[in-house]
Amino acid sequence: MRFESLGRIVIVIPTYDEVDNIAEAVARLRAAVPEADVLIVDDNSPDGTGAVADRLAAEDGQVDVLHRHGKEGLGAAYLAGFGRALQSGYDVIGEMDADGSHQPEELPQLLEALGDADLVIGSRWIPGGSIVNWSRGREAMSRGGNLYVRALLGIDVYDATSGFRVFRSQTLEKIDLATVRSAGYVFQTDLVARTLDAGLVVREVPIEFVERVRGESKMSPRVALESLRRITGWGLRHRSSRLREAVRPLRGSRP
């Protein structure tokens, strides 16, 4: 196996109304990295996605399903999936969208980069990365949001909002998932910042992000603005805390 040295691998796929996409996403993922298991986390999708996920699990022993009571946000779904994966003893835990925007065939390059990293992010905004079928407005919103995150948090990551990534299990344990309160899309940025704050290594590799063909996107200008609002508040508190930490030794050294 190509990634035997990494140990047991699972990719967490959150779903809400992805009945037209989930089977293809899982099939492509299983073909791209046969040794990887799949954990589908379904938020009680009214379109029957959960039932399709159960069928996939019945047909393939490397597919599991976690059913949740309702839609509580992307971050909450991932936290539930990460908790299940950690309890199951996986060594590598990944994220991937169910809608076809993340190309499972690119997962091997993320796993290869994990050899000398603690978190690897599939990035749209580094050289070699690209997007397909996005409007100029959406591209500007994503690029601008990530520039804002870099400036506010002072992190050297170009696509902190990307949801295509792989963690070492030790990384998730060190950043204390029990204290994460980010429920929506800001969750992705939160975990990047926590990983860097813990002194761990984050790598980015270029990916091609393709706009979904079937179903409706869960992202909207309203959701994006709400995420930026939360990042602003969190980021300002983060900077204030850093400033207090820097000033404290100076105060203590006064005669």
Side-chain angles (χ1 to χ4, degrees):
M1 295 190 295
R2 286 174 295 174
F3 303 108
E4 186 174 3
S5 63
L6 293 176
R8 298 177 62 214
I9 303 167
V10 65
I11 307 301
V12 179
I13 304 178
T15 55
Y16 185 80
D17 283 355
E18 296 291 354
V19 69
D20 294 327
N21 295 310
I22 186 60
E24 180 179 343
V26 170
R28 290 174 62 188
L29 174 56
R30 294 284 292 113
V33 186
E35 57 265 51
D37 292 342
V38 180
L39 174 58
I40 301 168
V41 181
D42 186 64
D43 278 2
N44 197 23
S45 299
D47 70 347
T49 300
V52 174
D54 285 337
R55 175 176 59 78
L56 296 174
E59 296 171 350
D60 186 343
Q62 287 183 244
V63 178
D64 192 14
V65 185
L66 174 59
H67 292 280
R68 288 168 22 93
H69 294 299
K71 188 177 182 182
E72 298 175 349
L74 182 71
Y78 270 127
L79 287 173
F82 289 169
R84 167 76 71 85
L86 289 169
Q87 289 175 359
S88 299
Y90 283 100
D91 302 290
V92 174
I93 301 171
E95 303 180 16
M96 192 185 85
D97 287 352
D99 61 11
S101 57
H102 297 145
Q103 310 302 297
E105 295 78 15
E106 295 181 321
L107 179 59
Q109 68 191 51
L110 273 69
L111 293 170
E112 289 167 4
L114 199 59
D116 61 351
D118 301 293
L119 162 61
V120 176
I121 300 171
S123 178
R124 298 159 290 186
W125 310 127
I126 62 173
S130 63
I131 54 172
V132 177
N133 294 332
W134 268 22
S135 67
R136 290 183 178 179
R138 185 171 179 186
E139 179 178 352
M141 183 171 63
S142 181
R143 284 185 181 273
N146 275 287
L147 284 170
Y148 183 69
V149 166
R150 290 183 70 208
L152 184 64
L153 301 183
I155 60 176
D156 191 24
V157 173
Y158 287 82
D159 200 350
T161 62
S162 171
F164 195 17
R165 52 179 69 181
V166 289
F167 296 87
R168 291 186 180 275
S169 60
Q170 297 96 323
T171 304
L172 294 176
E173 291 167 345
K174 287 180 180 177
I175 63 177
D176 194 7
L177 293 178
T179 66
V180 174
R181 297 292 179 265
S182 306
Y185 284 85
V186 71
F187 170 82
Q188 306 291 14
T189 302
D190 191 351
L191 264 58
V192 172
R194 285 169 178 260
T195 300
L196 291 169
D197 283 348
L200 301 176
V201 177
V202 177
R203 304 273 189 229
E204 291 184 272
V205 298
I207 61 166
E208 178 184 69
F209 185 99
V210 181
E211 178 63 3
R212 67 161 66 228
V213 175
R214 297 179 295 272
E216 295 184 3
S217 173
K218 312 303 186 296
M219 177 57 75
S220 68
R222 181 186 63 80
V223 170
L225 289 172
E226 174 64 12
S227 294
L228 287 177
R229 185 184 69 80
R230 290 181 177 273
I231 288 171
T232 299
W234 174 60
L236 291 175
R237 289 192 297 271
H238 180 78
R239 278 179 172 259
S240 177
S241 176
R242 286 288 184 86
L243 181 60
R244 288 195 299 270
E245 290 174 3
V247 169
R248 190 177 297 119
L250 297 177
R251 289 177 174 172
S253 65
R254 290 176 180 174

